[in-house]
Amino acid sequence: QLQLQESGPGLVKPSETLSLTCTVSGGSISSSSYYWGWIRQPPGKGLEWIGSIYYSGSTYYNPSLKSRVTISVDTSKNQFSLKLSSVTAADTAVYYCARDLSGYSGYEPYGYWGQGTLVTVSS
Amino acid sequence: DIQMTQSPSSLSASVGDRVTITCRASQGISNSLAWYQQKPGKAPKLLLYAASRLESGVPSRFSGSGSGTDYTLTISSLQPEDFATYYCQQYYSTPLFGQGTKLEIK
């Protein structure tokens, strides 16, 4: 059974860089042809797609965040990561990592999700 | 950019009711539409993709339809565990979620 688990600081100061890692268990990132993504949800609000990465390192980003986002993959650790720079209070959200359905494109729906981690941006 | 308009934003219904939620895209999305269910404090759960394909393990009371710009999620007979928030998501271009529909018990 595939499982994803987000980890990282729960509190980040304004203007700093938010860094999260998603650890995948029950399957190998490098041996399966899927896209791995990040989605966020501000408290009490809707879902926003951040971006996705293929096991080979190919990435897709939301244009609204692209200038601040970097998604990377470490197949040796079976992890992928999110970095979001120059954060403000508007970046406070629950951040989810997820795996897509088919690996057909970087935009496919997500069938497996982590439980999510709340990141608060505050001084 | 494609915009998604989901309606209604909230809905009250009773167990056994048939309910329909609608999502409208600002341009055609060629059935590249998914529906998710989210319960408080939990990650979203994929229900349907490609507008009408049921994800494995999802009860058959959930169904999806539509084409072009207009899509619907129908729950044929509400069960107690179905009270949740539902989101549509287009993936024809940069993925974008609808605003959500909170389904509450009447």
Side-chain angles (χ1 to χ4, degrees):
Chain A
Q1 175 76 355
L2 189 74
Q3 292 186 324
L4 296 87
Q5 178 68 58
E6 305 89 352
S7 60
L11 181 64
V12 180
K13 290 182 169 55
S15 80
E16 296 189 344
T17 296
L18 178 159
S19 296
L20 294 174
T21 295
C22 183
T23 300
V24 178
S25 58
S28 171
I29 287 180
S30 59
S31 64
S32 53
S33 302
Y34 295 101
Y35 277 89
W36 305 84
W38 290 96
I39 303 98
R40 70 180 183 178
Q41 185 172 36
K45 297 187 178 181
L47 299 159
E48 181 179 31
W49 180 77
I50 300 171
S52 63
I53 189 165
Y54 200 53
Y55 75 97
S56 62
S58 174
T59 54
Y60 288 86
Y61 296 135
N62 190 325
S64 68
L65 298 169
K66 186 174 183 177
S67 63
R68 298 194 292 132
V69 172
T70 301
I71 298 176
S72 59
V73 64
D74 186 337
T75 55
S76 67
K77 295 182 179 179
N78 222 31
Q79 295 175 334
F80 61 105
S81 299
L82 168 70
K83 291 188 184 300
L84 181 65
S85 64
S86 305
V87 297
T88 69
D91 295 309
T92 294
V94 174
Y95 285 76
Y96 295 100
C97 60
R99 195 207 80 179
D100 82 350
L101 274 185
S102 66
Y104 177 71
S105 75
Y107 291 168
E108 296 296 298
Y110 295 102
Y112 289 92
W113 293 66
Q115 65 186 23
T117 187
L118 175 62
V119 179
T120 301
V121 178
S122 175
S123 55
Chain B
D1 293 355
I2 297 177
Q3 303 302 314
M4 300 299 293
T5 302
Q6 186 175 340
S7 61
S9 57
S10 65
L11 177 59
S12 294
S14 302
V15 172
D17 284 353
R18 178 185 180 92
V19 300
T20 298
I21 298 169
T22 297
C23 220
R24 172 168 288 176
S26 57
Q27 64 186 72
I29 56 172
S30 298
N31 290 359
S32 297
L33 187 97
W35 291 98
Y36 297 85
Q37 176 193 68
Q38 187 178 33
K39 296 183 178 179
K42 300 294 187 181
K45 174 187 175 183
L46 180 64
L47 300 176
L48 298 113
Y49 60 97
S52 61
R53 295 188 179 182
L54 204 63
E55 171 68 337
S56 175
V58 174
S60 59
R61 64 180 179 273
F62 292 91
S63 64
S65 64
S67 64
T69 60
D70 295 334
Y71 299 86
T72 59
L73 169 69
T74 299
I75 310 172
S76 60
S77 178
L78 274 174
Q79 298 302 300
E81 61 269 28
D82 298 338
F83 292 94
T85 299
Y86 293 83
Y87 293 94
C88 62
Q89 179 215 341
Q90 70 82 13
Y91 52 99
Y92 182 77
S93 63
T94 303
L96 181 66
F97 293 88
Q99 301 91 332
T101 295
K102 187 172 184 179
L103 179 53
E104 299 175 305
I105 301 175
K106 184 183 288 184

